[in-house]
Amino acid sequence: MTAVARLDRWIRTEFVEHNTELEEAYFAERREIVHRRPELEKVKQALVAEGSHLIRAVSAAGPLPPASREKYQLLGMVGFYLAACRRHEVTALSEDTASFEDAASGSSAPAHGAGPPGNTASFEPVWSLAQRLGSALGVAPRFVFAHQALYNPAVRDRYQTFTALPDETVFLTSNGLAVLAYQRAADALRRIPPMGVSNPLTTYLLETALSALEDVLRFTQDLGRALDVDRFFFNIRPYFKSHRVGPVEYRGANAGDFSAINELDLLLGLGDTRDPFYQNVIAEKYAYLAPEDQALLRAVVDEESLLARFLREPEPGPRLRRNAELFLAVCRAHGAASTYHHHRLVKPFLVVPAEQAPAERLSGITASGPPLDVVVAALSRLSDLRSARDRPGVPTARAALERLRSLISDPSPAVSPR
Ligand code: HEM
């Protein structure tokens, strides 16, 4: 068995057992974390020591795996380990690994998974491997959404998870399905520019995008129904926090780190790279995308939107009108999925339980790091852009969509599909 295979086996077995045991203990107390219970500290120490040993063995075994996909999967595994250390607020100390709180010995150091400088020495080899992998691939040296959803091979029906909790599987599977559906919509839309918006083949592509976005809504609704709020808040969310790799604090993982969502915004014309807010959303995201997603996003930032293309067609013929109707339905479906995410996932699963959380736990509540109200305001703005909901001083594509609507509202009939 290779060193990488041993790490993979551990992540699928003991790693899951340790995390699950800790999560059940935290959940019994309805707390995000429990410190200073000797039997739990032992489990944390075992997790830190076993993972550190196996990851060092991977580094010692020689060169990095040659294939990019294997490198990316290995980065995911190292990232699982670092994310779990961060979640349990432990530092990779020596034999007597202490909890983060103990390590900070009463100092007010932020709980970001890295203790005081003198205590982080034994994380160095793990960080070093993560950094080598990250620089070879051109990505942030931490675990991100794509590692968990898209580069996570199932073995005997199970992909790698942090815990054995059914809610984690529900969360990851629904998230993964929603992302695949977003990708199906983006795959369809990015084929339209070379064909033009009045092409009969474009009708099929818009129908595909519409059905894919309806799937996004369906998968996220399934998630909203099946996921337990407390389990998510206490036992799942904490694995996605910001943490340090070497001297740099990398923001947390979230299900938005894939290019298709932004490709849709830009191709539809609902998001605009001339808008500084939106520019920032994209620029910040690159390092957290898988390499092939970075290329897809770069390819679309300069593309003329479909909305602009519809609006500059000289004579709206029947095919153009049919396609424009479908295009408007695709925009509505994109807005509906985003509105659901904001009001039925972010609010009940994060904002409401955060209101009950002790004040000292609020700082690390979001994946990206900023305070919750800042993150929620940014998500609300994205939801407004996708739904073309104008707010005072914050215009959206609403006026342009209205223009298109009136352009095609000519009484002569649109063609029937295909
Ligand atoms: C319980 C379920 C979920 C919760 C509580 C949740 C919450 C959040 C939060 C708080 C963010 C902002 C990240 C941060 O800065 O901390 C975010 C981003 C994002 N999430 Fe979710 N999310 C959930 C499920 C999903 C699902 C199923 C999808 C579908 C793919 C999704 C798609 C996105 C996207 C695309 C972003 C990036 C921002 C954007 O472009 O809108 N999320 N989510």
Side-chain angles (χ1 to χ4, degrees):
M1 209 188 232
T2 64
V4 173
R6 273 195 294 276
L7 176 62
D8 177 65
R9 194 208 57 82
W10 176 75
I11 288 182
R12 292 171 193 273
T13 52
E14 285 96 333
F15 175 75
V16 169
E17 285 161 24
H18 296 324
N19 285 322
T20 309
E21 187 177 344
L22 292 167
E23 296 305 335
E24 292 294 19
Y26 305 159
F27 194 71
E29 297 198 21
R30 290 294 190 282
R31 288 176 57 189
E32 183 179 330
I33 183 122
V34 176
H35 289 298
R36 298 194 185 88
R37 277 225 332 246
E39 77 283 14
L40 299 184
E41 294 310 314
K42 253 198 196 144
V43 179
K44 294 177 195 173
Q45 285 170 28
L47 188 146
V48 174
E50 290 166 15
S52 168
H53 174 77
L54 289 163
I55 292 169
R56 282 161 198 246
V58 171
S59 276
L64 298 176
S68 295
R69 190 170 71 193
E70 287 170 23
K71 280 194 194 73
Y72 200 67
Q73 284 172 334
L74 177 57
L75 177 59
M77 288 194 267
V78 176
F80 263 54
Y81 169 74
L82 287 172
C85 292
R86 164 69 183 97
R87 187 272 172 272
H88 301 298
E89 300 179 12
V90 288
T91 50
L93 298 174
S94 50
E95 290 78 72
D96 61 338
T97 304
S99 75
F100 177 80
E101 272 193 358
D102 294 338
S105 58
S107 84
S108 57
H112 282 180
N119 285 336
T120 58
S122 58
F123 260 134
E124 302 280 342
V126 181
W127 287 341
S128 164
L129 179 59
Q131 279 165 324
R132 278 167 66 208
L133 290 162
S135 12
L137 293 159
V139 300
R142 62 153 293 149
F143 139 85
V144 296
F145 170 79
H147 289 118
Q148 206 163 21
L150 308 174
Y151 285 84
N152 190 346
V155 175
R156 283 187 288 281
D157 290 1
R158 276 199 70 86
Y159 49 70
Q160 292 172 341
T161 53
F162 288 101
T163 70
L165 300 175
D167 279 283
E168 189 188 344
T169 312
V170 163
F171 177 68
L172 296 178
T173 303
S174 300
N175 257 296
L177 288 170
V179 170
L180 288 180
Y182 269 127
Q183 289 179 332
R184 183 158 71 92
D187 284 345
L189 291 194
R190 82 170 78 89
R191 289 162 185 261
I192 295 177
M195 293 180 191
V197 288
S198 60
N199 194 310
L201 302 186
T202 294
T203 311
Y204 174 70
L205 293 170
L206 289 165
E207 285 167 351
T208 304
L210 180 56
S211 119
L213 287 170
E214 286 165 356
D215 281 354
V216 171
L217 183 60
R218 181 164 60 85
F219 293 136
T220 47
Q221 284 171 334
D222 289 347
L223 177 63
R225 274 190 293 268
L227 189 64
D228 181 84
V229 172
D230 285 348
R231 280 293 187 186
F232 175 75
F233 194 77
F234 290 114
N235 299 138
I236 299 169
R237 174 194 58 85
Y239 288 95
F240 304 126
K241 293 184 174 193
S242 309
H243 69 70
R244 267 178 67 184
V245 180
V248 180
E249 170 102 8
Y250 289 89
R251 69 131 163 100
N254 72 66
D257 289 334
F258 62 102
S259 67
I261 183 90
N262 305 100
E263 291 179 75
L264 288 168
D265 294 343
L266 293 171
L267 283 168
L268 292 172
L270 300 172
D272 188 335
T273 47
R274 287 164 301 185
D275 168 4
F277 165 79
Y278 198 82
Q279 250 170 25
N280 196 46
V281 168
I282 292 203
E284 188 276 339
K285 203 179 253 198
Y286 273 105
Y288 298 88
L289 298 178
E292 72 278 9
D293 262 34
Q294 293 182 7
L296 289 171
L297 190 52
R298 260 195 298 276
V300 86
V301 287
D302 267 345
E303 190 70 80
E304 185 185 24
S305 74
L306 302 183
L307 178 55
R309 284 167 197 265
F310 274 113
L311 287 172
R312 69 174 169 73
E313 282 277 320
E315 293 279 310
R319 173 63 63 183
L320 183 102
R321 285 210 306 284
R322 168 72 191 142
N323 286 352
E325 279 166 6
L326 276 168
F327 168 80
L328 291 169
V330 172
C331 291
R332 279 194 299 276
H334 191 40
S338 176
T339 302
Y340 187 89
H341 175 264
H342 195 62
H343 292 284
R344 306 299 292 275
L345 295 179
V346 175
K347 287 189 176 164
F349 286 93
L350 204 55
V351 177
V352 173
E355 284 161 7
Q356 311 298 323
E360 74 274 12
R361 308 270 358 141
L362 288 178
S363 64
I365 225 143
T366 60
S368 51
L372 185 56
D373 55 343
V374 174
V375 168
V376 171
L379 289 173
S380 168
R381 173 114 181 243
L382 283 167
S383 175
D384 285 346
L385 288 174
R386 291 179 186 136
S387 311
R389 247 187 321 260
D390 279 353
R391 303 267 184 225
V394 191
T396 65
R398 188 188 179 98
L401 291 170
E402 287 301 336
R403 247 186 302 142
L404 179 60
R405 231 170 256 128
S406 60
L407 207 72
I408 59 166
S409 62
D410 185 293
S412 54
V415 286
S416 56
R418 282 190 297 282

